[in-house]
mmCIF file of all heavy atoms in Angstrom:
data_model
loop_
_atom_site.group_PDB
_atom_site.id
_atom_site.type_symbol
_atom_site.label_atom_id
_atom_site.label_comp_id
_atom_site.label_asym_id
_atom_site.label_seq_id
_atom_site.Cartn_x
_atom_site.Cartn_y
_atom_site.Cartn_z
ATOM 1 N N ASN A 70 -8.572 6.021 0.996
ATOM 2 C CA ASN A 70 -8.161 4.609 1.028
ATOM 3 C C ASN A 70 -8.387 3.931 2.380
ATOM 4 O O ASN A 70 -8.775 2.828 2.513
ATOM 5 C CB ASN A 70 -6.660 4.496 0.647
ATOM 6 C CG ASN A 70 -6.428 4.750 -0.815
ATOM 7 O OD1 ASN A 70 -7.307 4.503 -1.643
ATOM 8 N ND2 ASN A 70 -5.243 5.281 -1.179
ATOM 9 N N LYS A 71 -8.139 4.800 3.408
ATOM 10 C CA LYS A 71 -8.370 4.297 4.778
ATOM 11 C C LYS A 71 -9.854 3.966 4.991
ATOM 12 O O LYS A 71 -10.225 2.927 5.534
ATOM 13 C CB LYS A 71 -7.937 5.350 5.793
ATOM 14 C CG LYS A 71 -8.029 4.854 7.210
ATOM 15 C CD LYS A 71 -7.427 5.940 8.154
ATOM 16 C CE LYS A 71 -7.560 5.473 9.603
ATOM 17 N NZ LYS A 71 -7.012 6.449 10.527
ATOM 18 N N ASP A 72 -10.692 4.874 4.513
ATOM 19 C CA ASP A 72 -12.137 4.642 4.595
ATOM 20 C C ASP A 72 -12.543 3.411 3.825
ATOM 21 O O ASP A 72 -13.420 2.643 4.207
ATOM 22 C CB ASP A 72 -12.910 5.875 4.111
ATOM 23 C CG ASP A 72 -12.778 7.046 5.041
ATOM 24 O OD1 ASP A 72 -12.398 6.814 6.218
ATOM 25 O OD2 ASP A 72 -13.032 8.218 4.593
ATOM 26 N N LYS A 73 -11.902 3.244 2.641
ATOM 27 C CA LYS A 73 -12.228 2.121 1.793
ATOM 28 C C LYS A 73 -11.906 0.802 2.450
ATOM 29 O O LYS A 73 -12.639 -0.171 2.449
ATOM 30 C CB LYS A 73 -11.450 2.260 0.458
ATOM 31 C CG LYS A 73 -11.792 1.174 -0.567
ATOM 32 C CD LYS A 73 -11.066 1.391 -1.866
ATOM 33 C CE LYS A 73 -11.382 0.298 -2.856
ATOM 34 N NZ LYS A 73 -10.696 0.435 -4.135
ATOM 35 N N ASP A 74 -10.658 0.803 3.089
ATOM 36 C CA ASP A 74 -10.240 -0.431 3.808
ATOM 37 C C ASP A 74 -11.182 -0.752 4.912
ATOM 38 O O ASP A 74 -11.508 -1.876 5.216
ATOM 39 C CB ASP A 74 -8.761 -0.282 4.305
ATOM 40 C CG ASP A 74 -7.792 -0.207 3.173
ATOM 41 O OD1 ASP A 74 -8.139 -0.655 2.056
ATOM 42 O OD2 ASP A 74 -6.702 0.349 3.384
ATOM 43 N N THR A 75 -11.591 0.330 5.655
ATOM 44 C CA THR A 75 -12.502 0.145 6.768
ATOM 45 C C THR A 75 -13.828 -0.420 6.296
ATOM 46 O O THR A 75 -14.418 -1.313 6.953
ATOM 47 C CB THR A 75 -12.734 1.509 7.504
ATOM 48 O OG1 THR A 75 -11.438 2.016 7.902
ATOM 49 C CG2 THR A 75 -13.622 1.293 8.693
ATOM 50 N N LYS A 76 -14.304 0.072 5.191
ATOM 51 C CA LYS A 76 -15.589 -0.365 4.660
ATOM 52 C C LYS A 76 -15.514 -1.811 4.246
ATOM 53 O O LYS A 76 -16.423 -2.611 4.443
ATOM 54 C CB LYS A 76 -16.003 0.476 3.473
ATOM 55 C CG LYS A 76 -16.434 1.896 3.843
ATOM 56 C CD LYS A 76 -16.806 2.708 2.598
ATOM 57 C CE LYS A 76 -17.200 4.105 3.004
ATOM 58 N NZ LYS A 76 -17.452 4.919 1.830
ATOM 59 N N GLU A 77 -14.359 -2.231 3.608
ATOM 60 C CA GLU A 77 -14.189 -3.567 3.170
ATOM 61 C C GLU A 77 -14.185 -4.553 4.327
ATOM 62 O O GLU A 77 -14.621 -5.685 4.231
ATOM 63 C CB GLU A 77 -12.937 -3.719 2.311
ATOM 64 C CG GLU A 77 -13.034 -3.044 0.951
ATOM 65 C CD GLU A 77 -11.704 -3.050 0.185
ATOM 66 O OE1 GLU A 77 -10.711 -3.467 0.805
ATOM 67 O OE2 GLU A 77 -11.689 -2.665 -0.966
ATOM 68 N N ASP A 78 -13.585 -4.129 5.492
ATOM 69 C CA ASP A 78 -13.469 -4.973 6.630
ATOM 70 C C ASP A 78 -14.691 -4.922 7.544
ATOM 71 O O ASP A 78 -14.781 -5.685 8.521
ATOM 72 C CB ASP A 78 -12.222 -4.597 7.490
ATOM 73 C CG ASP A 78 -10.922 -4.806 6.697
ATOM 74 O OD1 ASP A 78 -10.991 -5.642 5.756
ATOM 75 O OD2 ASP A 78 -9.931 -4.169 7.003
ATOM 76 N N SER A 79 -15.599 -4.005 7.300
ATOM 77 C CA SER A 79 -16.757 -3.846 8.182
ATOM 78 C C SER A 79 -17.741 -4.986 8.034
ATOM 79 O O SER A 79 -17.739 -5.673 7.002
ATOM 80 C CB SER A 79 -17.464 -2.541 7.903
ATOM 81 O OG SER A 79 -17.968 -2.541 6.601
ATOM 82 N N SER A 80 -18.559 -5.212 9.048
ATOM 83 C CA SER A 80 -19.537 -6.255 9.032
ATOM 84 C C SER A 80 -20.790 -5.924 8.243
ATOM 85 O O SER A 80 -20.967 -4.753 7.857
ATOM 86 C CB SER A 80 -19.960 -6.583 10.501
ATOM 87 O OG SER A 80 -20.580 -5.471 11.032
ATOM 88 N N ASP A 81 -21.672 -6.889 8.000
ATOM 89 C CA ASP A 81 -22.950 -6.680 7.262
ATOM 90 C C ASP A 81 -23.809 -5.720 8.061
ATOM 91 O O ASP A 81 -24.546 -4.925 7.462
ATOM 92 C CB ASP A 81 -23.650 -7.983 7.051
ATOM 93 C CG ASP A 81 -22.923 -8.864 6.043
ATOM 94 O OD1 ASP A 81 -22.113 -8.293 5.300
ATOM 95 O OD2 ASP A 81 -23.141 -10.090 6.051
ATOM 96 N N ASP A 82 -23.754 -5.778 9.400
ATOM 97 C CA ASP A 82 -24.553 -4.907 10.201
ATOM 98 C C ASP A 82 -24.181 -3.447 9.971
ATOM 99 O O ASP A 82 -24.999 -2.539 9.962
ATOM 100 C CB ASP A 82 -24.416 -5.209 11.709
ATOM 101 C CG ASP A 82 -25.004 -6.561 12.047
ATOM 102 O OD1 ASP A 82 -25.895 -7.016 11.231
ATOM 103 O OD2 ASP A 82 -24.634 -7.115 13.098
ATOM 104 N N LYS A 83 -22.833 -3.230 9.806
ATOM 105 C CA LYS A 83 -22.371 -1.854 9.571
ATOM 106 C C LYS A 83 -22.838 -1.367 8.271
ATOM 107 O O LYS A 83 -23.257 -0.207 8.106
ATOM 108 C CB LYS A 83 -20.817 -1.872 9.604
ATOM 109 C CG LYS A 83 -20.193 -0.493 9.489
ATOM 110 C CD LYS A 83 -20.476 0.379 10.704
ATOM 111 C CE LYS A 83 -19.739 1.704 10.576
ATOM 112 N NZ LYS A 83 -20.044 2.575 11.687
ATOM 113 N N LYS A 84 -22.900 -2.254 7.247
ATOM 114 C CA LYS A 84 -23.386 -1.876 5.908
ATOM 115 C C LYS A 84 -24.857 -1.458 6.009
ATOM 116 O O LYS A 84 -25.311 -0.524 5.373
ATOM 117 C CB LYS A 84 -23.247 -3.027 4.921
ATOM 118 C CG LYS A 84 -21.786 -3.278 4.536
ATOM 119 C CD LYS A 84 -21.686 -4.417 3.545
ATOM 120 C CE LYS A 84 -20.235 -4.696 3.197
ATOM 121 N NZ LYS A 84 -20.124 -5.865 2.264
ATOM 122 N N VAL A 85 -25.580 -2.258 6.780
ATOM 123 C CA VAL A 85 -27.010 -1.912 6.967
ATOM 124 C C VAL A 85 -27.160 -0.526 7.578
ATOM 125 O O VAL A 85 -28.023 0.249 7.222
ATOM 126 C CB VAL A 85 -27.712 -2.960 7.879
ATOM 127 C CG1 VAL A 85 -29.127 -2.522 8.195
ATOM 128 C CG2 VAL A 85 -27.728 -4.298 7.108
#
Side-chain angles (χ1 to χ4, degrees):
N70 288 331
K71 185 177 180 180
D72 290 341
K73 183 177 180 182
D74 293 340
T75 303
K76 288 178 183 177
E77 289 175 352
D78 296 338
S79 63
S80 64
D81 292 338
D82 292 339
K83 184 67 176 178
K84 288 181 181 179
V85 172

